Amino acid sequence: MNENTNLEGPAAAVKPIEVVEQTLYEIRKKIYPRAVTGKFATARWSFVLLTQLVFYGTPWLTWNERQAVLFDLASRKFYILGLVFWPQDIVYLTALLIIAAYSLFLFTAVAGRLWCGYACPQTVYTELFMWIERQVEGDRMARMKLDAQPLTARKFGLKATKHAIWIALALWTGFTFVGYFTPIKTLWRETFSAGLGPWEGFWILFYGFATYGNAGWMREQVCKYMCPYARFQGVMFDPDTLVITYDRERGEPRGSRNRAVDYKAKGLGDCVDCGICVQVCPTGIDIRNGLQNECIGCAACIDGCDQVMDKVGKPRGLIRYSKGRVLRPRVLVYAAILAAVAIGAGVSLWLRMPLKVDVIRDRAAIAREVEGGLIENVYRLQIMNTTEQARAFEIGIKGLPGIQVWGGNTAGVPAATSRLVPVRVRADPGQAPGSYPVEFTVTALGVEGVSVTERATFVVR
Ligand code: SF4
Ligand code: SF4
């Protein structure tokens, strides 16, 4: 029995609390973006084609009879055109990450979400997947009608065709991605001779699945809920940042109309409230409500609205990029840091010595006296030839009277290879017991200016 039913007097007047259940996450409304053309759509497609040409094409390029760009994790060497990077070159990776971060800060401060709208892989693949969708199922209205229909043979055929093309493109993308880490021509042969390794197979499927899921299904949800950049970019905005805005003063009050009516006399603004700007938006927002977190800055609404303005005989630009000062302190600071790191990394790369040497003392062999009363120490020199030509190196030492490399002072190292070379060093007797600093010099034979000096200690007992 409900206890409240027995209450009398003032307690009977107390209403039971009404519990309203709220969901933590907004239920997704499916978005059917309408196709749009215009100068910004052309710019976006140019970026799509350019980035994909680079992404899909680069692993197939050859340099010095090997893959031009290959991140060979197994042998811990990165090949980028004529350069070979070793784990010791981590400083360049650090510089690259700093450059990428500051480029993003700089472009965001100047041009808002330029990266999101034109070059981010999520935008690029969503654009490609939406294009396939339009070719198979038709534009916005046709897709909305199709989704509302019960399942028929035609609907099943269209959906199956779309997903088959999406999956093929996603798998090709996964294959290309793995082709940056495993020589792509070998990968191709392995894939079609059922000889694919488990890791390669896993990463092709994983990356393919991520592409299919993110560009085919998740789309704007990735930008709205998953992308960290979308979350923190707000702090990089200032009043001068380029953003896409609706000219409220010019557009409002909005309202539909026909040409015969003098809409100014009716007090209406230029917005005909056609909704095209909302229909073309890939994130489904209405830019007329002001700048929103969901806006990826793709400018599709500008193209859409410009076409409407052309039709109603009004000037373009009711929705447009805002104008702001480009040269301002924050931008100048970002640009200066970016330029300093880029120039520093470039100069360092230009002057990079294509030879690295590490001296390792052979701990098993202690200093000993040999024939003629000389003192001998044994070392191992790790000589890394970072060029793509086999080279011979001369090993010298100085720092003590009569010190010299004994029993052969040259070593050959194949191209892009590291070799451990045992080296015996002898010095005149007569030193007091102790450790003495000495210097190894490794010099490439027949090549001007390729020489590295490394410190070591010579032990006398
Ligand atoms: S496209 Fe332009 S005219 Fe049409 S509703 Fe949007 S702002 Fe108004
Ligand atoms: S509001 Fe305009 S710029 Fe922003 S995401 Fe939508 S269409 Fe793109």
Side-chain angles (χ1 to χ4, degrees):
M1 192 197 230
N2 187 335
E3 287 173 24
N4 287 343
T5 53
N6 290 335
L7 293 175
E8 286 172 10
V14 177
K15 285 186 185 164
I17 296 165
E18 196 184 334
V19 179
V20 180
E21 206 170 294
Q22 282 189 322
T23 53
L24 282 176
Y25 302 100
E26 192 187 1
I27 294 170
R28 183 184 182 189
K29 292 188 205 89
K30 189 166 178 188
I31 296 167
Y32 296 87
R34 180 184 174 132
V36 68
T37 52
K39 62 182 178 191
F40 295 108
T42 306
R44 201 167 48 256
W45 269 101
S46 306
F47 273 100
V48 169
L49 297 177
L50 185 74
T51 50
Q52 295 321 289
L53 197 67
V54 172
F55 174 71
Y56 291 115
T58 302
W60 296 97
L61 300 178
T62 301
W63 187 285
N64 275 347
E65 297 176 7
R66 51 127 177 115
Q67 193 166 314
V69 176
L70 179 67
F71 306 115
D72 188 348
L73 296 177
S75 63
R76 296 190 290 167
K77 275 179 248 168
F78 288 0
Y79 299 90
I80 300 174
L81 304 178
L83 300 168
V84 184
F85 292 95
W86 298 64
Q88 288 81 352
D89 292 316
I90 190 86
V91 63
Y92 295 109
L93 182 64
T94 313
L96 190 68
L97 291 177
I98 294 173
I99 290 170
Y102 273 93
S103 301
L104 208 56
F105 296 165
L106 178 66
F107 295 136
T108 305
V110 173
R113 295 184 75 171
L114 201 65
W115 162 259
C116 301
Y118 293 87
C120 169
Q122 180 60 23
T123 301
V124 165
Y125 287 104
T126 301
E127 196 78 34
L128 281 172
F129 274 54
M130 285 197 311
W131 181 82
I132 293 167
E133 190 170 61
R134 275 199 295 273
Q135 303 315 305
V136 177
E137 296 181 359
D139 202 1
R140 176 182 156 86
M141 290 310 293
R143 295 203 305 277
M144 289 169 81
K145 252 168 82 182
L146 186 72
D147 278 2
Q149 281 170 13
L151 190 62
T152 59
R154 178 180 169 274
K155 180 172 176 174
F156 181 80
L158 288 175
K159 294 281 176 193
T161 307
K162 176 181 84 174
H163 285 284
I165 301 173
W166 277 2
I167 290 169
L169 177 61
L171 286 176
W172 184 247
T173 307
F175 173 84
T176 304
F177 174 74
V178 177
Y180 280 89
F181 300 91
T182 297
I184 201 162
K185 288 174 189 163
T186 312
L187 192 67
W188 175 264
R189 280 194 300 276
E190 285 174 356
T191 305
F192 292 98
S193 63
L196 206 57
W199 280 112
E200 287 141 351
F202 168 78
W203 282 110
I204 291 175
L205 290 177
F206 182 81
Y207 199 86
F209 176 74
T211 307
Y212 171 73
N214 288 343
W217 293 91
M218 302 288 290
R219 297 189 176 174
E220 81 289 347
Q221 302 285 300
V222 174
C223 311
K224 278 165 86 167
Y225 301 117
M226 291 162 71
C227 177
Y229 172 55
R231 301 281 117 200
F232 72 74
Q233 55 154 350
V235 299
M236 290 184 265
F237 277 29
D238 62 30
D240 286 309
T241 299
L242 201 69
V243 289
I244 290 169
T245 53
Y246 164 69
D247 188 341
R248 180 165 290 277
E249 257 177 46
R250 185 184 142 189
E252 300 294 317
R254 66 186 79 159
S256 57
R257 68 211 63 177
N258 63 49
R259 278 171 189 266
V261 177
D262 179 359
Y263 73 96
K264 286 282 183 208
K266 285 179 74 181
L268 291 174
D270 279 358
C271 174
V272 298
D273 205 14
C274 61
I276 295 288
C277 51
V278 183
Q279 291 172 19
V280 296
C281 177
T283 64
I285 59 168
D286 187 342
I287 192 67
R288 294 173 298 173
N289 296 337
L291 183 63
Q292 291 146 75
N293 193 32
E294 292 87 346
C295 175
I296 59 167
C298 67
C301 51
I302 300 184
D303 281 334
C305 188
D306 279 351
Q307 285 177 355
V308 175
M309 290 297 109
D310 289 349
K311 274 195 200 131
V312 298
K314 294 284 156 200
R316 291 178 165 203
L318 179 57
I319 300 175
R320 59 179 182 268
Y321 276 106
S322 62
K323 283 196 187 80
R325 280 180 312 137
V326 174
L327 297 179
R328 49 196 201 273
R330 168 197 292 245
V331 171
L332 295 175
V333 169
Y334 287 154
I337 295 173
L338 187 59
V341 177
I343 292 170
V347 170
S348 155
L349 209 53
W350 180 256
L351 300 173
R352 195 169 73 124
M353 186 59 67
L355 163 67
K356 296 182 196 305
V357 177
D358 276 334
V359 180
I360 306 157
R361 265 196 71 84
D362 195 341
R363 294 188 183 280
I366 48 170
R368 64 187 186 121
E369 195 174 319
V370 291
E371 63 267 26
L374 298 174
I375 309 293
E376 182 180 275
N377 278 205
V378 180
Y379 304 82
R380 279 180 300 155
L381 261 58
Q382 181 151 45
I383 303 178
M384 283 170 263
N385 173 14
T386 65
T387 68
E388 295 197 67
Q389 294 87 37
R391 282 190 172 160
F393 297 95
E394 185 180 60
I395 303 163
I397 191 157
K398 61 181 184 187
L400 278 177
I403 195 164
Q404 58 181 300
V405 175
W406 200 263
N409 67 341
T410 56
V413 185
T417 301
S418 170
R419 195 184 145 197
L420 261 184
V421 181
V423 178
R424 285 191 292 154
V425 175
R426 291 183 181 180
D428 287 347
Q431 313 295 330
S435 295
Y436 294 89
V438 292
E439 278 185 348
F440 278 99
T441 304
V442 179
T443 308
L445 292 171
V447 190
E448 194 71 13
V450 178
S451 182
V452 167
T453 299
E454 275 294 309
R455 288 197 194 138
T457 51
F458 188 90
V459 178
V460 177
R461 290 184 186 268

